[in-house]
Amino acid sequence: MAERAVRGTGKSAKRTVQVAALAICAAAAFYPARTRAETIESALVKAYQNNPQLNAQRASVRSIDENVPQALSGYRPRVAITGTAGEQFTDVTSKTVSGIPSPTGGPAKQNVTYTGASGLVTPWSYGVSAQQTLFNGFQTANRTRAAESQVSSAREGLRILEQTVLLTAATTYMDVLRDTAALEVQRSNVRVLQETLKQTRDRFEVGEVTRTDVAQAEAQLAAGQSSMLAAESTLNTSRANYRQVIGVDPTNLAPGSPVDRFSPRTLLGAIDQGLIENPNVTAAMYGIDVAFLQVKVNEGALYPTLVVQGTAQQASYPQLSIPQTWTASAIGTLTVPIYQGGQEYALIRQSKETVGQQRLALELVRTQTRQQVVQAWGQNEAAKAQVRAANSQVYSSEVALNGVREEARVGQRTTLDVLNAQQALVNARIALVNAQHDRVVASYSVLSATGRLSPQVMHLPTILYDPTVHYQQVRDAWIGVRTPDGH
């Protein structure tokens, strides 16, 4: 009976070889086969379309688009219509003094006459005024260019968040696969340990092993069950993270694969591409443009300002004795600033310092980007080697376990030796699972560091969000309170 138990345990171990060799693939078998498999690409599409953080950032970019028509309003006239109406009661008393010549030739006598008048009228007036700025020191032009740079910077910020969300989605996807495969390994380990304990008890009953061997098998089984429960908890956490990032529960996940085909072939090429295409770098460059144009806007306060204003007004009974008036005017006003307390000079100096700060920030971002590319590249290369080493470790551990079991069957090895070899195989399989997870995630990290983690580069089957559509819809809008989507 003991011999049959040992052989049965060996067959069970052989059936789990495929689970270890393809640990990530084992996750697919964990879910119901009747549902359609979810691929990492389809999960990225769902995150790209439905992630609330990403959609909120898109709304923020649309809000920043409105800065451009606000700046362009400086080129446009300002027109206003005014009107007044009401009741007016007037009671006027007039005094008239006239001189009467003296018949004797003396001083003239004064004759004072008092007259009164009263009336109720309904005065009203209406008019229109228009004001057009002809020159304001190029402030409007520079504000418009600064607003356009802000829009471009916001789009790069959107790219940053898109990459972050896609990388998080890929990582979360692989986390679920890793933790599912790790749980499957732990369950397989528990099954093997249960069979080992049964075999050890059988051998104890016939006197081949001692009570110590049984206790060791029981302790190892308890440890394996504890590890299995911990793996279940870790998997539940990963599934919850998946739901948060991608928007649906993970179901029937297909194995993930690296995306090295979209990355540069050399480290130097990856660094050069990162310094050009990484959205953190391009956003910092647009930040310099915005700061530089703000200097020009502040300098515009030192220039003269020319404004033309035209008015036309009709009024009824502006005075009791005047039944109606009509006035029209066109006036040009030239304002030449001489001294305004020095505030404008302080603003210019302050904005110039901001330009210097933005330039230093760009250098810092470039340095950080280079570090991120090198780090991601190194992790990807290390992950490749770890997968190879983990595969070799699993194979060697399986061979060692089978050998220890055969030696234990003939009395050359103890039960503890078998348990240790079994635990070494479990550790090797978990290491392979982690290595395959890290390999895929590292390849996505390289894409993110080089600025190429996007639906366009990876050809994801989704409708791309184009921020220029909304920008073109609102840029030249003169009137209207509804947004392009109808709100």
Side-chain angles (χ1 to χ4, degrees):
M1 180 183 297
E3 182 178 352
R4 287 197 299 271
V6 171
R7 291 179 178 177
T9 304
K11 293 179 180 178
S12 176
K14 292 179 181 179
R15 284 196 299 269
T16 61
V17 169
Q18 295 300 323
V19 177
L22 300 174
I24 294 298
C25 296
F30 182 74
Y31 297 103
R34 63 179 179 272
T35 59
R36 182 179 179 182
E38 178 86 277
T39 65
I40 190 170
E41 289 80 11
S42 61
L44 294 181
V45 168
K46 291 178 180 177
Y48 179 79
Q49 294 175 343
N50 304 321
N51 186 272
Q53 185 181 11
L54 188 54
N55 287 329
Q57 186 66 21
R58 290 165 179 163
S60 176
V61 173
R62 293 194 295 270
S63 174
I64 295 175
D65 287 343
E66 298 290 352
N67 290 342
V68 176
Q70 291 177 25
L72 288 172
S73 65
Y75 287 122
R76 300 163 186 166
R78 299 177 182 272
V79 182
I81 296 177
T82 59
T84 61
E87 296 287 339
Q88 178 177 334
F89 175 78
T90 305
D91 188 358
V92 179
T93 300
S94 301
K95 175 183 178 182
T96 304
V97 179
S98 59
I100 302 175
S102 175
T104 61
K109 294 182 178 180
Q110 291 185 345
N111 185 21
V112 179
T113 304
Y114 291 91
T115 59
S118 63
L120 180 64
V121 297
T122 304
W124 53 265
S125 66
Y126 65 88
V128 60
S129 64
Q131 179 178 311
Q132 176 66 58
T133 300
L134 300 181
F135 182 76
N136 61 354
F138 309 105
Q139 293 186 60
T140 299
N142 289 321
R143 284 195 181 101
T144 302
R145 293 165 58 195
E148 290 172 344
S149 295
Q150 289 174 347
V151 170
S152 298
S153 179
R155 292 175 184 173
E156 296 307 304
L158 178 60
R159 284 186 59 210
I160 293 173
L161 189 58
E162 283 180 353
Q163 292 204 149
T164 301
V165 168
L166 291 177
L167 179 59
T168 303
T171 303
T172 305
Y173 185 98
M174 295 306 301
D175 287 348
V176 174
L177 284 178
R178 175 199 61 194
D179 297 337
T180 302
L183 177 59
E184 199 65 22
V185 170
Q186 295 294 349
R187 286 176 174 173
S188 175
N189 180 50
V190 169
R191 290 193 295 267
V192 172
L193 291 175
Q194 289 173 340
E195 188 69 23
T196 301
L197 177 59
K198 180 179 181 298
Q199 162 222 315
T200 305
R201 286 173 175 170
D202 292 340
R203 296 178 67 190
F204 173 71
E205 291 177 357
V206 298
E208 294 184 6
V209 297
T210 65
R211 177 60 187 166
T212 302
D213 296 311
V214 176
Q216 289 173 340
E218 291 174 343
Q220 194 72 9
L221 175 59
Q225 290 172 336
S226 176
S227 298
M228 182 183 68
L229 294 175
E232 288 180 351
S233 176
T234 302
L235 176 59
N236 290 333
T237 301
S238 298
R239 289 170 62 86
N241 292 336
Y242 186 101
R243 180 69 172 81
Q244 176 188 1
V245 175
I246 298 178
V248 296
D249 291 322
T251 304
N252 196 20
L253 303 187
S257 59
V259 287
D260 295 335
R261 60 189 180 279
F262 301 121
S263 300
R265 297 185 178 275
T266 63
L267 175 59
L268 292 179
I271 293 175
D272 292 340
Q273 192 170 67
L275 295 178
I276 296 175
E277 297 188 17
N278 190 294
N280 290 285
V281 176
T282 51
M285 295 174 67
Y286 284 119
I288 295 177
D289 294 339
V290 173
F292 176 77
L293 291 168
Q294 188 60 45
V295 174
K296 296 299 182 182
V297 171
N298 293 334
E299 288 177 346
L302 303 178
Y303 287 80
T305 302
L306 177 60
V307 178
V308 174
Q309 183 173 6
T311 60
Q313 184 180 40
Q314 184 175 1
S316 173
Y317 287 101
Q319 299 179 14
L320 185 62
S321 59
I322 303 176
Q324 194 174 54
T325 62
W326 168 265
T327 59
S329 65
I331 301 173
T333 303
L334 177 65
T335 303
V336 180
I338 302 301
Y339 184 72
Q340 304 175 71
Q343 180 183 11
E344 66 277 21
Y345 299 107
L347 288 174
I348 294 172
R349 295 193 301 270
Q350 184 183 49
S351 56
K352 287 183 177 179
E353 293 295 343
T354 303
V355 173
Q357 176 190 4
Q358 292 295 327
R359 287 173 176 166
L360 293 174
L362 174 60
E363 292 304 316
L364 176 61
V365 170
R366 284 173 171 166
T367 302
Q368 292 174 340
T369 300
R370 179 185 178 89
Q371 182 269 336
Q372 291 171 0
V373 172
V374 173
Q375 179 180 1
W377 188 274
Q379 290 175 344
N380 192 35
E381 293 299 313
K384 294 177 183 178
Q386 288 172 352
V387 170
R388 292 192 294 267
N391 275 308
S392 176
Q393 181 182 5
V394 168
Y395 175 77
S396 300
S397 297
E398 290 171 350
V399 173
L401 176 60
N402 292 331
V404 170
R405 281 177 175 153
E406 291 298 324
E407 292 173 359
R409 186 174 64 84
V410 297
Q412 295 180 352
R413 292 280 186 170
T414 64
T415 301
L416 181 60
D417 293 330
V418 176
L419 295 175
N420 289 338
Q422 171 65 24
Q423 187 60 44
L425 177 57
V426 171
N427 294 338
R429 290 171 177 171
I430 295 297
L432 176 59
V433 169
N434 291 330
Q436 291 174 329
H437 165 276
D438 296 343
R439 172 71 178 92
V440 176
V441 172
S443 67
Y444 278 91
S445 297
V446 172
L447 276 186
S448 176
T450 56
R452 294 181 58 80
L453 184 54
S454 65
Q456 298 94 321
V457 173
M458 294 188 294
H459 308 295
L460 296 180
T462 181
I463 298 176
L464 300 177
Y465 178 80
D466 186 0
T468 63
V469 174
H470 178 270
Y471 174 78
Q472 296 298 334
Q473 290 173 334
V474 302
R475 186 184 190 277
D476 296 316
W478 283 50
I479 59 174
V481 296
R482 284 185 174 274
T483 60
D485 61 358
H487 292 88

